[in-house]
Amino acid sequence: MKHWMTTAAALLLALAGTAAAETPSADEILRAMRDMTVSQGNKDVLGKIRKGGVKVPFSLSARGETIAFQYKAGGAWKRFDVRIKSNSADLLTVVNNKATVMRPASYTQTIAGTDVCYEDLSLRFLYWKGGKVIENTAESRIKGRDCYIVEVPNPKPGVGQFSWVRLWVDKENGTSWQIDGHGPDGKLRKRFTINSVQKLSDDTWFFKQMVLEVRNPQNPERVLSRNYLEMDDLPDKK
């Protein structure tokens, strides 16, 4: 969920520069994206999840290799963590400061009247391996940016909501401008799109608004609902 121009983003530039005739692998591209999540040390941001008239306050806090998400439901704050490992990410439910590994069946549990689930917020699929890069096509450019298109299969079919995902990853700064999640039938189920980003005075980046669209399984061109993840303004570093 964090998209900073850091050492990890520079890795994407290096991959592109040193392999002008050779496209970096999907695993290398996703590894650079994952590294951006934990390369900036401590970070705390506030925001809200919005669906129609429903507004759910939430926070994200990064501490080393743990990202803590909290959201307010029924007047109380609830928490789950993403614990990042070298080759995977565990989702944990935290109650009274005690963390327990989340059951895979809970990954798709929606949050406080929205269509956003735990798997959506954690972007768990960034840790899947064995993907492929789609070579330059007319679809490689999105929002005016040149992107790698990465397709990654679910290593555990049946766990979670997607059988495979397709990501558009900016070749220059590592931002994933769009992520499409496909079901077992190959049809588009959800689309994540970054509408805007905010740049701080130290040249770091953070997304300002992300839109999550739920698509009709019978007609993926039809949007059933839209959910918005909107971050509060981050103060510029002096």
Side-chain angles (χ1 to χ4, degrees), residues 3 108 143 185:
H3 299 276
T108 57
K143 293 185 178 292
D185 57 2

Short mmCIF file of all heavy atoms in Angstrom, two decimals, residues 3 108 143 185:
data_model
loop_
_atom_site.label_atom_id
_atom_site.label_comp_id
_atom_site.label_asym_id
_atom_site.label_seq_id
_atom_site.Cartn_x
_atom_site.Cartn_y
_atom_site.Cartn_z
N HIS A 3 3.92 3.55 -1.61
CA HIS A 3 4.58 3.66 -2.90
C HIS A 3 5.55 4.83 -2.84
O HIS A 3 5.21 5.95 -3.20
CB HIS A 3 3.55 3.85 -4.01
CG HIS A 3 2.60 2.70 -4.11
ND1 HIS A 3 2.88 1.55 -4.81
CD2 HIS A 3 1.39 2.50 -3.56
CE1 HIS A 3 1.87 0.71 -4.71
NE2 HIS A 3 0.97 1.26 -3.96
N THR A 108 -11.50 -13.13 3.15
CA THR A 108 -12.49 -12.43 2.32
C THR A 108 -13.61 -11.80 3.15
O THR A 108 -14.59 -11.33 2.58
CB THR A 108 -13.10 -13.40 1.29
OG1 THR A 108 -13.68 -14.52 1.98
CG2 THR A 108 -12.03 -13.89 0.33
N LYS A 143 -2.55 5.70 -17.37
CA LYS A 143 -2.44 7.02 -16.75
C LYS A 143 -1.23 7.79 -17.28
O LYS A 143 -0.57 8.53 -16.56
CB LYS A 143 -2.38 6.89 -15.22
CG LYS A 143 -3.66 6.37 -14.59
CD LYS A 143 -3.59 6.37 -13.09
CE LYS A 143 -4.91 5.90 -12.48
NZ LYS A 143 -6.03 6.84 -12.70
N ASP A 185 -13.05 -18.57 -12.87
CA ASP A 185 -13.53 -18.61 -14.25
C ASP A 185 -12.74 -17.68 -15.16
O ASP A 185 -13.04 -17.57 -16.35
CB ASP A 185 -15.02 -18.28 -14.31
CG ASP A 185 -15.34 -16.91 -13.70
OD1 ASP A 185 -14.39 -16.21 -13.26
OD2 ASP A 185 -16.53 -16.55 -13.65
#
